[in-house]
Amino acid sequence: MYSQLHHSPCPFHSCGGPLAKFNELEAVPAVSTLRRDPRLINYSPHVSALCIVVGVVWLLLLPLDSYSRQTYISENALLPGQVHTYFGGSEQYIFRAYRREVEALNTNETNGVVSRLDEIFKSAGLKVARQKYNYTSSGKEYSGENVYSILHAPRGDATEAVVLVAAWRNMDGELNESGVALVLTLARYFKRWSLWSKDIIFLITADSRAGPQAWVDAYHDAHSPPSVSSLPLKGGVLQGVVVVDYPFSHPFEFIHIVYDGINGQLPNLDLFNTAVSIASGQMGIGTVLQQMWKHNDRYRDRLQTMLRGMVNQGLGHASGPHSSFIPYHVDAITLQAVGEGSHDEMALGRTVESLFRSLNNLLEHFHQSFFFYLLMQANRFVSIGTYLPSAMLIVVNFTITAMSLWVQSGRPNISTKPPTSPKGSSKKIVGGVKKDRVIGAIPTQGSSIIERKLFLPLVFVIGVHFLGVVPLYVFNHSSEKMITTTFISFAIFNFILPYICAIVLKRYFHPTRQEILLIKSFSLLLLGMFLSALATLNFSLAFLVGLSSVPLTFASPIPDRPALATIAVVLMSFLSPAMVLICSSVYWKIHVNNILIEAAFGWDVWGMWTQVVVWCVWWPAWLTGTVLVASSLAKPNSGRVSR
């Protein structure tokens, strides 16, 4: 570092002398000491708090017109709503006959149902095949048999296919009587047309959770025999999937479009926009999403819709039969009839027909529109470039605090005063050497860096993160009968675990102040690193976990104040993942047992990795922060000398 330059007419091209010349040692530039200024450490909590506030405010601004956009079709080949639909007339009588047959089959065994569906598809002149599956999760078996048929494209070369799906029972366990009847009717109807350029697969699954997953796994040869059978018939590469959910016989009011996939993945926005354009524009049917039955396009409704979508995507579970297809880069949605209105089954059938006519026009896979977005209305969205900074701002606060703690751990003394000498004192903060008319700045002992002891902090942080594998394994492999008892036992142990770890750490390892700072620094650094990477894959999960982990930024030991430290530990205990799960179950009126069983099923069948983030990223960071606060209550062993 150099001090003040002498003025010269041409400092860069002078033939003789040094480039710069120093006047006095006291004129060393501020850059030399700026990074050693203790005030920077004092400001880091304020900077972190500012990032958190700005990140939350950023998210709350997204529903405004200035930050969101109207949806639009990017793929011109789709031409939504540009064709005349012919589904109707005599097809309605066929549909009603099939619906009565489905109602009658509801009382039969699975084999009888599949056999009759097989006969119906064969009577329409289609190739038919079956597939059996049997999954085990939480000690419970999920078995069934799928039946499907293939209409090979009269004008194609069997390289591409689209799928029309109806589950025998929907996600709520209701008989999908009109949905199954509509797929059977459309299979017979589509067979009469010769305009198809893609194979059309008609799939009836035994349920909405395991059946679609078994079929799509086997279609891509990613299944696990013998629990999941192979498919004897296959078509082309899957380009799109439409699921019909119509569990009643009366006319409906709206079409509820379900689009959330497993692990927060989403279908291409063009597929969603095409369905909205056809239903609302061509057919005059209202469309809703995220169970917002009354949406007035106000700020509150937009925000609520966006937050509901974030919660569903953050949980990472399947929201319908379509969710199983999205991890294979197959764009899929569910059309769910809701309410009581004036639209009958023929209106929904024409909507599906028009949607398949648009998919039939695709020249290549969906790629032009967005795969990362937040919807706040059927016709309004924000893209990843607009909403991603809100999560990144929350995540970056962990990195800022970690860097500040790292710098702080290397200083022998921490002072809140600026590094200036007292008036009238000759003591210098920065020393220097002079050689060949050039003066260099050298930090004195007061601003030197001390050696950091990394062994204990690294072992502790890495050990705590590996400890997260225990609850991950236990909850994913507990039986349905024992999972509630297991969770209660874990919640109790989780409450006292920070005290145990703090006592062991304090009495047997005697961490120094530097090591305490490094433990927190490494923990927050890992948390920020994991969440910043996660935000690009599942923004909603990264945002929710980051917001729940905000108190860890400010969690520190509170020496000589046991009452305040006890209150802080209790508050931190209520912010643990286990307590958040309990509070969430109370708020949504869902039993904890059902949540854990669903999570275990997602792990075993869907390949859901939300639990990995919770138990191997969030929980270790929480445990580390709580242990540091609880260390204020643990007394060191008086019989041993502290390091």
Side-chain angles (χ1 to χ4, degrees):
M1 302 297 294
Y2 297 97
S3 71
Q4 190 175 1
L5 293 172
H6 277 290
H7 176 74
S8 62
C10 185
F12 296 101
H13 298 88
S14 58
C15 298
L19 178 65
K21 198 172 184 181
F22 292 87
N23 292 326
E24 296 180 4
L25 185 61
E26 288 78 2
V28 176
V31 179
S32 173
T33 56
L34 182 61
R35 61 191 179 96
R36 297 181 177 86
D37 192 339
R39 290 176 296 183
L40 293 179
I41 296 178
N42 297 335
Y43 292 152
S44 65
H46 304 287
V47 175
S48 296
L50 180 63
C51 290
I52 296 168
V53 172
V54 174
V56 174
V57 172
W58 191 299
L59 186 76
L60 297 178
L61 291 176
L62 294 179
L64 299 176
D65 290 338
S66 303
Y67 298 91
S68 57
R69 290 188 282 173
Q70 288 282 345
T71 57
Y72 56 92
I73 303 292
S74 299
E75 180 58 72
N76 295 325
L78 287 170
L79 299 174
Q82 299 300 310
V83 297
H84 182 74
T85 56
Y86 298 93
F87 186 73
S90 61
E91 305 298 333
Q92 188 168 16
Y93 298 104
I94 298 174
F95 167 83
R96 291 178 177 176
Y98 282 149
R99 185 170 63 190
R100 285 194 295 269
E101 192 156 4
V102 169
E103 292 174 353
L105 288 172
N106 187 35
T107 58
N108 292 357
E109 296 181 356
T110 303
N111 292 334
V113 172
V114 173
S115 299
R116 181 53 186 153
L117 294 176
D118 189 312
E119 293 175 3
I120 293 175
F121 279 130
K122 285 181 179 178
S123 65
L126 301 173
K127 295 181 179 179
V128 188
R130 304 182 189 182
Q131 182 209 23
K132 292 184 178 181
Y133 62 88
N134 189 344
Y135 291 106
T136 302
S137 178
S138 298
K140 183 179 179 181
E141 288 191 356
Y142 299 85
S143 59
E145 188 173 7
N146 300 324
V147 58
Y148 66 100
S149 62
I150 299 180
L151 170 60
H152 290 291
R155 294 171 176 249
D157 52 0
T159 58
E160 297 176 341
V162 289
V163 187
L164 180 60
V165 184
W168 186 258
R169 295 194 178 275
N170 63 11
M171 293 294 288
D172 297 326
E174 301 172 325
L175 176 65
N176 188 18
E177 51 181 275
S178 297
V180 173
L182 186 60
V183 169
L184 296 174
T185 308
L186 287 171
R188 179 189 178 99
Y189 172 75
F190 285 170
K191 182 67 172 62
R192 302 204 310 257
W193 291 88
S194 60
L195 51 84
W196 306 112
S197 62
K198 294 177 173 58
D199 295 342
I200 301 180
I201 301 175
F202 304 94
L203 172 62
I204 308 294
T205 60
D207 62 3
S208 296
R209 303 168 77 238
Q213 189 67 49
W215 190 87
V216 71
D217 285 345
Y219 196 91
H220 293 89
D221 296 324
H223 60 298
S224 301
S227 60
V228 177
S229 303
S230 300
L231 298 183
L233 285 178
K234 290 186 180 180
V237 178
L238 302 184
Q239 298 290 308
V241 177
V242 177
V243 181
V244 180
D245 185 4
Y246 193 174
F248 45 82
S249 58
H250 58 77
F252 62 93
E253 183 179 5
F254 300 109
I255 292 180
H256 180 224
I257 303 180
V258 188
Y259 57 93
D260 303 303
I262 297 170
N263 294 323
Q265 293 177 286
L266 301 174
N268 190 272
L269 190 57
D270 266 348
L271 178 60
F272 178 87
N273 292 339
T274 301
V276 172
S277 177
I278 292 173
S280 301
Q282 184 181 13
M283 303 299 167
I285 305 173
T287 55
V288 294
L289 60 151
Q290 301 299 343
Q291 299 181 357
M292 289 291 294
W293 313 129
K294 295 181 180 179
H295 198 300
N296 298 319
D297 199 22
R298 296 178 300 181
Y299 172 83
R300 182 177 180 180
D301 294 334
R302 290 183 181 182
L303 179 63
Q304 189 174 357
T305 303
M306 182 184 69
L307 294 179
R308 287 188 178 187
M310 288 180 60
V311 170
N312 284 329
Q313 294 158 30
L315 293 176
H317 66 111
S319 57
H322 69 281
S323 300
S324 299
F325 292 85
I326 297 179
Y328 288 95
H329 304 287
V330 179
D331 302 292
I333 57 173
T334 293
L335 303 181
Q336 186 180 46
V338 294
E340 293 190 25
S342 57
H343 304 289
D344 61 1
E345 57 274 359
M346 293 296 104
L348 183 58
R350 286 191 293 270
T351 302
V352 175
E353 178 191 356
S354 183
L355 184 54
F356 269 70
R357 294 282 294 275
S358 292
L359 294 175
N360 191 58
N361 295 334
L362 273 179
L363 302 176
E364 51 189 336
H365 199 278
F366 281 108
H367 68 283
Q368 291 197 15
S369 192
F370 298 94
F371 287 95
F372 299 93
Y373 51 86
L374 291 177
L375 287 167
M376 49 198 64
Q377 190 198 11
N379 297 309
R380 201 154 197 92
F381 79 106
V382 288
S383 63
I384 185 172
T386 306
Y387 66 72
L388 186 61
S390 61
M392 288 301 185
L393 283 168
I394 291 180
V395 170
V396 79
N397 98 86
F398 302 121
T399 306
I400 291 174
T401 304
M403 294 171 62
S404 173
L405 292 169
W406 171 264
V407 174
Q408 189 176 351
S409 67
R411 295 187 176 181
N413 296 308
I414 304 300
S415 174
T416 58
K417 297 180 180 180
T420 56
S421 301
K423 219 170 187 181
S425 172
S426 60
K427 185 178 179 180
K428 298 181 177 63
I429 295 171
V430 179
V433 295
K434 180 176 181 181
K435 183 178 181 181
D436 296 332
R437 303 168 64 189
V438 177
I439 300 176
I442 298 178
T444 61
Q445 184 178 1
S447 57
S448 62
I449 303 299
I450 63 175
E451 182 182 1
R452 295 180 176 89
K453 299 179 180 179
L454 304 179
F455 180 75
L456 178 62
L458 286 175
V459 169
F460 182 84
V461 173
I462 294 174
V464 168
H465 278 78
F466 274 106
L467 190 63
V469 177
V470 176
L472 176 65
Y473 179 85
V474 169
F475 290 127
N476 288 331
H477 294 82
S478 296
S479 64
E480 185 176 0
K481 297 180 180 179
M482 293 298 298
I483 198 166
T484 302
T485 305
T486 303
F487 178 77
I488 294 174
S489 302
F490 174 80
I492 296 173
F493 178 72
N494 189 63
F495 189 81
I496 62 175
L497 181 60
Y499 294 95
I500 298 174
C501 293
I503 292 172
V504 173
L505 183 67
K506 198 87 173 203
R507 291 191 177 183
Y508 296 98
F509 296 96
H510 305 280
T512 61
R513 181 176 180 276
Q514 181 196 71
E515 289 170 329
I516 293 292
L517 294 175
L518 289 175
I519 289 174
K520 182 178 177 181
S521 176
F522 292 155
S523 177
L524 293 181
L525 189 64
L526 285 176
L527 181 63
M529 180 181 67
F530 289 140
L531 293 184
S532 60
L534 179 63
T536 61
L537 301 174
N538 190 340
F539 161 83
S540 302
L541 181 58
F543 184 90
L544 295 174
V545 173
L547 197 61
S548 302
S549 303
V550 160
L552 302 179
T553 301
F554 309 99
S556 299
I558 309 175
D560 304 325
R561 303 181 71 178
L564 186 59
T566 302
I567 295 174
V569 172
V570 172
L571 291 177
M572 290 291 293
S573 299
F574 280 100
L575 296 174
S576 68
M579 290 303 299
V580 171
L581 176 59
I582 293 174
C583 295
S584 301
S585 67
V586 172
Y587 179 79
W588 277 294
K589 299 179 181 179
I590 304 174
H591 199 278
V592 175
N593 183 60
N594 296 333
I595 297 177
L596 295 175
I597 292 174
E598 182 79 1
F601 181 87
W603 174 268
D604 294 325
V605 179
W606 295 329
M608 192 173 75
W609 40 256
T610 306
Q611 302 97 308
V612 177
V613 177
V614 172
W615 299 119
C616 296
V617 177
W618 179 16
W619 184 75
W622 167 84
L623 180 59
T624 302
T626 310
V627 167
L628 295 182
V629 177
S631 65
S632 305
L633 302 174
K635 296 181 180 180
N637 192 344
S638 57
R640 298 186 61 180
V641 180
S642 174
R643 295 181 297 126

